[in-house]
């Protein structure tokens, strides 16, 4: 299921993703039957409208044949306007209902494509629901709206109940706040805690590989592999304008609910330990959350998050555990680090830094790089946590997501003044 929101400056990319899916169905690599249901909402292309007509289309792709059913679907055709609001939770629900009621699938994967945003953009709007992250804007009739993590969870819950994989082909969505909110409705998540690069998710190769009938987890790993290969190639060929060196992508097992509850508890304990510590430790903590942290090895793990700041959760815990002299802070950080390293939440990942160094779960030397200092190859990197907000919004985090509720982490922004 491809939810391709091109009703903005990503029109051409959405169209290319649709064509990749169509081409992937031509390259059969096995006997597994694959159907692609694609809702694409276009804008007038910057290339003179050659790729899309600015309308919404619902396609069924089977065996490389694309059939446009838009005029037969009431919620798409809309009395002849053929324009849906991709920023509406109702549109996502209608799309998933169409898929769940029309097809009987053994496995289900939902792909969301558009822009993604960091935390501040979201909580500074009038939207009051527990939403965790913003994505999918619609320039035609979105009225500055967007979808949220909660919209996804609710639409899936009302249709499939739970799907096998969510692929977020958008920026900044792989956060602990979003994962926590998706845990009951999504098994695997493929997403990035950082900015993403267009046309690197390789849907043609993914669909061809999926036709061999692999496990869903292995499909998720291939998303990581292909994205890593493309971004590394661009980086090594000095395509610096694409900032490929600092991109990342993560495969998360959202069904690890016990680990997610532990992470919520240990982040809460970590704040409490820091707040009881001496001022010097508090200053160190603020530094580790990203202030003035600009080394070659770690800059790629601090994400600007569009309107606020997020930090890699595993890196933050690792640095705190190894740098603090406060025993309580050290214990809480070690517990948090253990959750990520040993809990199986992060299945597979890759990320780059500013010096053409990469960590990559599929590399033969993974776990042996000096700057990672990990000997067993388990992956604690690839999930972000909100670590900086503008002061005027700092008190809103506690009501912003399910992860923030009843979690002392929310007091970080109010009482330590991280901004």
């Amino acid at each position: 299921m491809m939810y391709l929101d091109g009703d903005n400056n990503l029109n051409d990319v959405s169209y290319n993703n649709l064509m990749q899916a169509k081409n992937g169905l031509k390259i059969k690599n096995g006997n597994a039957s694959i159907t692609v249901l694609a809702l694409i909402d276009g804008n007038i292309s910057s290339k003179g409208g050659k790729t899309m007509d600015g309308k919404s289309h619902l396609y069924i792709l089977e065996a490389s044949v694309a059939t446009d059913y838009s005029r037969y679907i009431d919620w798409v055709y809309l009395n002849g306007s053929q324009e849906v609001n991709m920023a509406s939770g109702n549109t996502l629900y209608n799309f998933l209902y169409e898929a769940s009621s029309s097809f009987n699938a053994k496995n289900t994967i939902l792909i969301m494509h558009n822009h993604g945003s960091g935390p501040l953009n979201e909580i500074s709007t009038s939207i009051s629901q527990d939403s965790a992250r913003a994505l999918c804007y619609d320039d035609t009739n979105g009225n500055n709206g967007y979808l949220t993590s909660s919209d996804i969870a609710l639409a899936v819950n009302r249709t499939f109940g739970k799907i096998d994989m969510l692929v977020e082909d958008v920026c900044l969505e792989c956060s602990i706040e979003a994962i926590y909110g998706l845990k009951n409705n999504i098994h695997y998540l493929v997403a990035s805690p950082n900015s993403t690069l267009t046309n690197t998710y390789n849907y043609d190769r993914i669909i061809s590989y999926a036709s061999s009938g692999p496990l869903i987890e292995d499909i998720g790993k291939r998303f990581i592999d292909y994205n890593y290969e493309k971004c590394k190639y661009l980086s090594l060929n000095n395509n610096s304008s694409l900032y490929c060196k600092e991109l990342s992508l993560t495969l998360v097992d959202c069904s690890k609910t016990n680990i997610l509850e532990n992470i919520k508890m240990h982040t809460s304990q970590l704040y409490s330990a820091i707040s009881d510590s001496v001022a010097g430790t508090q200053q160190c903590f603020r530094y580790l959350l990203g202030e003035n942290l600009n080394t070659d090895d770690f800059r790629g793990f601090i994400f600007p998050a569009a309107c606020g700041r997020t930090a890699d959760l595993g890196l933050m815990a690792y640095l705190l555990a190894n740098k603090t002299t406060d025993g309580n802070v050290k214990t809480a950080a070690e517990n948090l680090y253990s959750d990520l390293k040993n809990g199986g939440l992060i299945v597979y990942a890759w990320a780059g830094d500013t010096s053409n160094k990469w960590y990559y779960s599929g590399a033969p030397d993974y776990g042996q790089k000096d700057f990672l200092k990990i000997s067993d190859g388990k992956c604690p990197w690839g999930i972000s946590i909100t670590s900086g907000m503008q002061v005027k919004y700092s008190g809103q985090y506690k009501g912003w997501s399910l992860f923030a509720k009843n979690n002392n982490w929310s007091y970080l922004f109010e009482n330590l003044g991280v901004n």
Side-chain angles (χ1 to χ4, degrees):
M1 299 170 289
M2 303 184 77
Y3 194 85
L4 303 174
D5 180 6
D7 203 351
N8 43 46
N9 63 344
L10 292 177
N11 173 88
D12 296 353
V13 181
S14 291
Y15 179 81
N16 288 338
N17 288 341
L18 183 68
M19 292 302 99
Q20 280 191 2
K22 183 178 178 181
N23 291 336
L25 289 169
K26 294 179 181 178
I27 313 170
K28 291 282 287 185
N29 193 33
N31 296 319
S33 175
I34 298 175
T35 298
V36 176
L37 182 67
L39 176 64
I40 182 168
D41 186 27
N43 207 326
I44 299 301
S45 171
S46 59
K47 299 177 181 178
K50 295 179 181 178
T51 58
M52 289 293 291
D53 57 7
K55 297 181 180 180
S56 306
H57 296 267
L58 183 70
Y59 290 100
I60 297 178
L61 311 182
E62 294 178 293
S64 78
V65 177
T67 306
D68 189 346
Y69 282 89
S70 306
R71 67 176 60 193
Y72 305 109
I73 308 298
D74 290 342
W75 58 270
V76 177
Y77 202 59
L78 293 177
N79 299 319
S81 69
Q82 204 170 320
E83 172 60 42
V84 301
N85 182 4
M86 299 293 275
S88 167
N90 288 332
T91 301
L92 178 61
Y93 164 75
N94 286 334
F95 174 64
L96 294 183
Y97 181 80
E98 193 72 38
S100 63
S101 60
S102 300
F103 300 94
N104 183 19
K106 179 181 178 181
N107 298 114
T108 49
I109 298 175
L110 170 63
I111 294 163
M112 309 281 292
H113 172 256
N114 188 240
H115 290 296
S117 180
L120 187 56
N121 186 320
E122 186 166 330
I123 65 169
S124 64
T125 71
S126 60
I127 293 179
S128 60
Q129 65 191 56
D130 302 326
S131 46
R133 281 295 189 273
L135 68 156
C136 289
Y137 304 80
D138 188 309
D139 282 8
T140 299
N141 51 20
N143 297 320
N144 296 317
Y146 44 76
L147 291 177
T148 68
S149 305
S150 291
D151 289 324
I152 298 173
L154 179 61
V156 172
N157 185 59
R158 292 175 62 196
T159 52
F160 291 93
K162 190 170 186 175
I163 61 174
D164 295 293
M165 185 178 292
L166 170 65
V167 179
E168 293 188 312
D169 190 351
V170 298
C171 295
L172 300 164
E173 297 304 301
C174 196
S175 70
I176 191 63
E177 294 97 346
I179 293 166
Y180 191 89
L182 292 169
K183 66 183 186 299
N184 295 323
N185 305 106
I186 307 295
H187 190 169
Y188 291 104
L189 170 69
V190 175
S192 174
N194 204 345
S195 298
T196 59
L197 187 66
T198 57
N199 293 325
T200 59
Y201 278 56
N202 299 102
Y203 296 110
D204 48 355
R205 296 179 68 186
I206 287 291
I207 290 175
S208 175
Y209 171 73
S211 68
S212 66
L215 298 174
I216 287 289
E217 182 176 304
D218 290 330
I219 295 175
K221 289 181 178 180
R222 287 301 174 101
F223 269 105
I224 309 297
D225 290 342
Y226 298 153
N227 185 265
Y228 167 73
E229 290 171 10
K230 182 69 172 288
C231 292
K232 183 175 180 179
Y233 169 80
L234 292 171
S235 179
L236 290 177
N237 283 274
N238 297 317
N239 200 334
S240 58
S241 64
L242 300 176
Y243 51 88
C244 296
K245 298 175 183 177
E246 300 178 57
L247 298 179
S248 58
L249 197 64
T250 310
L251 172 63
V252 179
D253 186 347
C254 300
S255 69
K256 302 290 185 181
T257 53
N258 290 339
I259 297 300
L260 288 168
E261 294 299 339
N262 286 343
I263 290 174
K264 181 174 179 177
M265 175 179 65
H266 290 143
T267 53
S268 186
Q269 291 175 351
L270 182 58
Y271 167 78
S272 297
I274 291 166
S275 64
D276 292 337
S277 184
V278 297
T281 302
Q282 293 183 23
Q283 290 298 319
C284 179
F285 183 68
R286 294 180 65 188
Y287 171 78
L288 294 174
L289 285 176
E291 294 184 9
N292 303 315
L293 188 60
N294 192 26
T295 66
D296 282 345
D297 286 340
F298 292 125
R299 180 181 166 193
F301 296 92
I302 304 299
F303 315 120
C307 302
R309 184 176 65 237
T310 62
D312 187 278
L313 185 62
L315 174 66
M316 181 189 72
Y318 172 79
L319 291 176
L320 276 172
N322 284 276
K323 289 183 178 292
T324 185
T325 58
D326 185 284
N328 291 332
V329 174
K330 183 177 180 66
T331 297
E334 287 176 340
N335 288 337
L336 180 56
Y337 184 73
S338 179
D339 294 336
L340 291 160
K341 186 177 179 182
N342 301 316
L345 184 67
I346 300 175
V347 179
Y348 205 70
W350 86 268
D353 70 4
T354 60
S355 302
N356 284 327
K357 298 177 184 176
W358 295 277
Y359 82 82
Y360 166 50
S361 295
D365 61 344
Y366 179 78
Q368 299 174 25
K369 297 179 174 65
D370 291 340
F371 79 98
L372 289 175
K373 296 182 173 63
I374 302 172
S375 59
D376 58 12
K378 293 182 180 178
C379 183
W381 319 121
I383 295 175
S384 70
I385 188 169
T386 302
S387 62
M389 296 163 60
Q390 289 184 7
V391 173
K392 64 179 178 178
Y393 299 117
S394 61
Q396 297 186 34
Y397 181 84
K398 67 170 68 72
W400 166 49
S401 70
L402 294 174
F403 179 82
K405 281 182 169 48
N406 303 314
N407 185 344
N408 287 340
W409 190 258
S410 62
Y411 295 112
L412 169 75
F413 312 106
E414 297 177 73
N415 298 340
L416 290 188
V418 178
N419 56 65

